[in-house]
Amino acid sequence: MKSPKKIFILSPHIDDAAFGLALTISKCANNKVPVTIINCFTITKWTAIHVDNKEINAVSLLRKNEDASFYKTFNGNINIINLDLLDAPLRNGYIFQEQPFQPNELALIEELKSLLEMHVDGLLLCPLGIGNHIDHAICRAAVVKLYRKIDVLFYEDLPYARRIKHDQILEHIGELEQELGVSFTNQTDGLLNCSVDKEQAIRLYKSQMNEEIASEIIAHLNDLKGERIWGESQVFEALKTILA
């Protein structure tokens, strides 16, 4: 008997999968497709708004509780794996990648690659790395190393994708295509077979949400009339089969 078809979503931080793919997750849940969220850099004290306790343990737990609240809104088989890696400000004091990967970051890429090999046995959705956040870049680099071994599609990092022009997104896609030696197409999943209000859902991440971030994510959704995913055409066929 074949194992059930599964979707895995690589989320650099708690909230990235939700910001980029809330409607897609809803569609999977409504189609009874098992979804596993792999949250990577979950040891953190980063918040977008003031919180009473900024200690690492308190913020990390707060964010995990927000994540659990988000996924409770779906009537589906959703599993959460928290890898409990240190996020960028705690590792090295910077967030955005302005230089080649440093030795500790190369080691993290290899560690994450090994963890993904351990956990992923289905189609993987990976962030594109738009926005130059070092943690997002590490996630993408780990997946690039596994690209020939698993089915991979890429989702747009939000709110970062909203902050650049469409031509810049295409340049980013072109660089990834060249790195992988492939050609991508894209697909925009809209509101059909979704049972979640994306704005209401992402606001469950209260410590990470302000009006600017919320408006950017929803504006991107409205402009595209859905959530845009990139990848090779045969992998989209695999996704279509899973959701059938």
Side-chain angles (χ1 to χ4, degrees), residues 110-179:
E110 291 298 328
E111 180 181 358
L112 182 54
K113 171 180 172 287
S114 297
L115 289 167
L116 292 176
E117 287 179 309
M118 183 187 308
H119 290 296
V120 175
D121 62 345
L123 191 153
L124 177 66
L125 288 159
C126 171
L128 278 164
I130 294 170
N132 216 31
H133 192 300
I134 186 63
D135 290 345
H136 291 234
I138 287 169
C139 286
R140 194 183 86 168
V143 171
V144 165
K145 286 179 171 287
L146 293 172
Y147 188 79
R148 299 300 174 190
K149 298 181 179 180
I150 56 177
D151 286 336
V152 180
L153 295 171
F154 294 89
Y155 65 93
E156 296 184 4
D157 317 61
L158 289 171
Y160 302 114
R162 177 66 184 175
R163 297 172 181 172
I164 62 175
K165 296 179 180 178
H166 180 63
D167 287 349
Q168 292 173 290
I169 293 178
L170 294 182
E171 289 176 10
H172 188 92
I173 297 297
E175 291 171 359
L176 180 57
E177 288 176 318
Q178 186 174 9
E179 183 177 8

Side-chain angles (χ1 to χ4, degrees), residues 1 25 46 67 91-92 101 140 148 154 169-170 189 244:
M1 183 175 179
I25 295 167
W46 175 266
D67 206 38
R91 288 196 317 271
N92 48 30
F101 289 119
R140 194 183 86 168
R148 299 300 174 190
F154 294 89
I169 293 178
L170 294 182
D189 281 331

